[in-house]
Amino acid sequence: GQQLNQSPQSMFIQEGEDVSMNCTSSSIFNTWLWYKQDPGEGPVLLIALYKAGELTSNGRLTAQFGITRKDSFLNISASIPSDVGIYFCAGFQGAQKLVFGQGTRLTINP
Amino acid sequence: GAGVSQSPRYKVAKRGQDVALRCDPISGHVSLFWYQQALGQGPEFLTYFQNEAQLDKSGLPSDRFFAERPEGSVSTLKIQRTQQEDSAVYLCASSPRTSVKVWGNEQFFGPGTRLTVL
């Protein structure tokens, strides 16, 4: 079963608004990843975080690796229609095995 | 550019049938992964190969699931005697190296095969 809990499960926002979503775990993860999945496609990596406290940006996306190593958040600024999709957090369990959250579905009203 | 490809994209099987799902990873990628994604959920790890060696199969739900990568490139996930609970999207991913510390070594996912068992 899933070990990462994402919230909210879904978001409905207006174009141009900022978005914030987060991910928590009962276990420590040494790497946090954020993926986006479009319908009919596989997940695509957006941001990777490797150190507790790390804050990383990728364009309009910003993510932080929590100090306790049990949480992370993802912010999207000035949302645009192509941001629609499902966002997943993920962490490595062991060297290669990825564990995913259940996803946050983002819908944008133009 | 050539990404990870999977075939078929859609598969409908009657309960009890055997199915085989194919994954063509990015050329030269050492690691290959299979995930199962149920409707409305995140992907769940099934198994992992490094070249032709299956190093972790802890996520395979039962002995009806079998994966192979005999020449270290193309992989096949086989499900025997399919059940309705096997209905899901099966995702394949590959990565170039075995280290998790280098950006660019991330797992690149294919589009998945949607399996429906009637």
Side-chain angles (χ1 to χ4, degrees):
Chain A
Q2 305 289 348
Q3 297 182 34
L4 301 180
N5 297 305
Q6 290 187 242
S7 64
Q9 290 190 8
S10 60
M11 304 182 72
F12 299 85
I13 64 168
Q14 298 293 322
E15 184 177 350
E17 287 184 7
D18 296 343
V19 173
S20 183
M21 60 189 76
N22 73 299
C23 184
T24 60
S25 171
S26 57
S27 307
I28 287 174
F29 284 88
N30 293 317
T31 304
W32 283 87
L33 307 173
W34 285 92
Y35 284 85
K36 178 176 183 276
Q37 186 174 29
D38 293 327
E41 300 295 331
V44 174
L45 183 65
L46 300 174
I47 288 182
L49 301 159
Y50 298 109
K51 292 172 57 177
E54 180 181 354
L55 183 70
T56 296
S57 293
N58 180 5
R60 293 178 296 106
L61 277 61
T62 302
Q64 184 157 29
F65 190 154
I67 291 291
T68 64
R69 293 191 285 161
K70 292 184 177 182
D71 64 305
S72 176
F73 71 74
L74 175 70
N75 288 341
I76 306 172
S77 63
S79 58
I80 59 177
S82 62
D83 292 334
V84 166
I86 304 176
Y87 292 80
F88 292 99
C89 61
F92 280 104
Q93 197 170 61
Q96 294 286 325
K97 178 178 174 179
L98 269 179
V99 176
F100 285 83
Q102 77 273 37
T104 293
R105 181 181 295 273
L106 179 62
T107 302
I108 298 176
N109 299 315
Chain B
V4 178
S5 61
Q6 294 186 244
S7 61
R9 291 293 311 274
Y10 303 91
K11 177 68 178 178
V12 178
K14 292 183 179 178
R15 190 162 56 95
Q17 281 185 335
D18 298 347
V19 298
L21 312 180
R22 177 187 169 106
C23 173
D24 285 82
I26 295 172
S27 178
H29 277 198
V30 169
S31 301
L32 185 145
F33 308 82
W34 284 98
Y35 293 85
Q36 180 189 59
Q37 187 174 23
L39 188 64
Q41 299 295 317
E44 291 201 16
F45 172 85
L46 293 177
T47 187
Y48 154 58
F49 290 85
Q50 183 175 321
N51 295 307
E52 68 277 6
Q54 189 174 19
L55 298 187
D56 187 342
K57 53 181 180 179
S58 61
L60 296 176
S62 76
D63 58 8
R64 296 186 295 105
F65 287 71
F66 172 76
E68 60 184 4
R69 194 187 186 197
E71 298 179 357
S73 56
V74 171
S75 177
T76 303
L77 176 66
K78 298 179 179 178
I79 309 173
Q80 296 177 323
R81 304 181 303 281
T82 52
Q83 304 293 314
Q84 285 188 322
E85 61 263 28
D86 300 334
S87 296
V89 174
Y90 290 85
L91 294 165
C92 175
S94 69
S95 67
R97 292 174 293 278
T98 58
S99 168
V100 303
K101 289 295 186 180
V102 178
W103 178 268
N105 189 44
E106 67 264 29
Q107 296 180 24
F108 294 87
F109 283 82
T113 295
R114 180 177 296 278
L115 173 65
T116 302
V117 181
L118 303 177

